[in-house]
mmCIF file of all heavy atoms in Angstrom:
data_model
loop_
_atom_site.group_PDB
_atom_site.id
_atom_site.type_symbol
_atom_site.label_atom_id
_atom_site.label_comp_id
_atom_site.label_asym_id
_atom_site.label_seq_id
_atom_site.Cartn_x
_atom_site.Cartn_y
_atom_site.Cartn_z
ATOM 1 N N LEU A 51 45.710 -3.663 48.089
ATOM 2 C CA LEU A 51 46.274 -2.589 48.734
ATOM 3 C C LEU A 51 45.158 -1.759 49.503
ATOM 4 O O LEU A 51 45.273 -1.425 50.633
ATOM 5 C CB LEU A 51 47.010 -1.596 47.746
ATOM 6 C CG LEU A 51 47.844 -0.416 48.334
ATOM 7 C CD1 LEU A 51 48.790 -0.979 49.324
ATOM 8 C CD2 LEU A 51 48.529 0.314 47.263
ATOM 9 N N PRO A 52 43.987 -1.303 48.738
ATOM 10 C CA PRO A 52 43.003 -0.479 49.418
ATOM 11 C C PRO A 52 42.478 -1.106 50.755
ATOM 12 O O PRO A 52 42.460 -0.562 51.776
ATOM 13 C CB PRO A 52 41.853 -0.408 48.408
ATOM 14 C CG PRO A 52 42.601 -0.455 47.173
ATOM 15 C CD PRO A 52 43.719 -1.568 47.298
ATOM 16 N N GLY A 53 42.267 -2.443 50.779
ATOM 17 C CA GLY A 53 41.777 -3.187 51.881
ATOM 18 C C GLY A 53 42.739 -3.174 52.977
ATOM 19 O O GLY A 53 42.537 -3.012 54.147
ATOM 20 N N LEU A 54 43.991 -3.387 52.526
ATOM 21 C CA LEU A 54 45.165 -3.506 53.603
ATOM 22 C C LEU A 54 45.280 -2.211 54.273
ATOM 23 O O LEU A 54 45.483 -2.153 55.496
ATOM 24 C CB LEU A 54 46.513 -3.912 52.798
ATOM 25 C CG LEU A 54 47.620 -4.217 53.572
ATOM 26 C CD1 LEU A 54 47.391 -5.567 54.222
ATOM 27 C CD2 LEU A 54 48.930 -4.142 52.602
ATOM 28 N N VAL A 55 45.446 -1.064 53.503
ATOM 29 C CA VAL A 55 45.683 0.167 54.169
ATOM 30 C C VAL A 55 44.415 0.577 54.990
ATOM 31 O O VAL A 55 44.552 1.161 56.068
ATOM 32 C CB VAL A 55 46.210 1.294 53.304
ATOM 33 C CG1 VAL A 55 47.511 0.943 52.644
ATOM 34 C CG2 VAL A 55 45.155 1.688 52.229
ATOM 35 N N ALA A 56 43.164 0.249 54.532
ATOM 36 C CA ALA A 56 41.975 0.592 55.250
ATOM 37 C C ALA A 56 41.957 -0.095 56.486
ATOM 38 O O ALA A 56 41.605 0.360 57.634
ATOM 39 C CB ALA A 56 40.712 0.246 54.501
ATOM 40 N N GLY A 57 42.388 -1.346 56.572
ATOM 41 C CA GLY A 57 42.444 -2.242 57.753
ATOM 42 C C GLY A 57 43.471 -1.633 58.820
ATOM 43 O O GLY A 57 43.221 -1.893 59.943
ATOM 44 N N ALA A 58 44.452 -0.958 58.309
ATOM 45 C CA ALA A 58 45.353 -0.189 59.280
ATOM 46 C C ALA A 58 44.930 1.207 59.426
ATOM 47 O O ALA A 58 45.602 1.938 60.122
ATOM 48 C CB ALA A 58 46.765 -0.261 58.487
ATOM 49 N N GLY A 59 43.737 1.623 59.047
ATOM 50 C CA GLY A 59 43.205 2.833 59.506
ATOM 51 C C GLY A 59 43.531 3.983 58.512
ATOM 52 O O GLY A 59 43.446 5.166 58.866
ATOM 53 N N PHE A 60 44.003 3.688 57.261
ATOM 54 C CA PHE A 60 44.385 4.687 56.385
ATOM 55 C C PHE A 60 43.430 4.687 55.177
ATOM 56 O O PHE A 60 43.235 3.672 54.617
ATOM 57 C CB PHE A 60 45.791 4.417 55.798
ATOM 58 C CG PHE A 60 46.859 4.578 56.837
ATOM 59 C CD1 PHE A 60 47.176 3.519 57.655
ATOM 60 C CD2 PHE A 60 47.612 5.728 56.873
ATOM 61 C CE1 PHE A 60 48.124 3.699 58.613
ATOM 62 C CE2 PHE A 60 48.807 5.806 57.725
ATOM 63 C CZ PHE A 60 48.872 4.888 58.632
ATOM 64 N N GLU A 61 42.792 5.791 54.881
ATOM 65 C CA GLU A 61 42.020 5.965 53.634
ATOM 66 C C GLU A 61 42.582 7.086 52.784
ATOM 67 O O GLU A 61 42.163 8.150 52.988
ATOM 68 C CB GLU A 61 40.496 6.030 53.974
ATOM 69 C CG GLU A 61 40.006 4.976 54.789
ATOM 70 C CD GLU A 61 38.512 4.547 54.514
ATOM 71 O OE1 GLU A 61 38.021 5.013 53.414
ATOM 72 O OE2 GLU A 61 38.017 3.860 55.239
ATOM 73 N N PRO A 62 43.421 6.739 51.885
ATOM 74 C CA PRO A 62 44.093 7.801 51.201
ATOM 75 C C PRO A 62 43.190 8.717 50.434
ATOM 76 O O PRO A 62 42.144 8.455 49.810
ATOM 77 C CB PRO A 62 45.006 7.144 50.115
ATOM 78 C CG PRO A 62 45.096 5.680 50.688
ATOM 79 C CD PRO A 62 43.801 5.447 51.415
#
Side-chain angles (χ1 to χ4, degrees):
L51 191 60
L54 187 74
V55 295
F60 294 79
E61 298 218 17

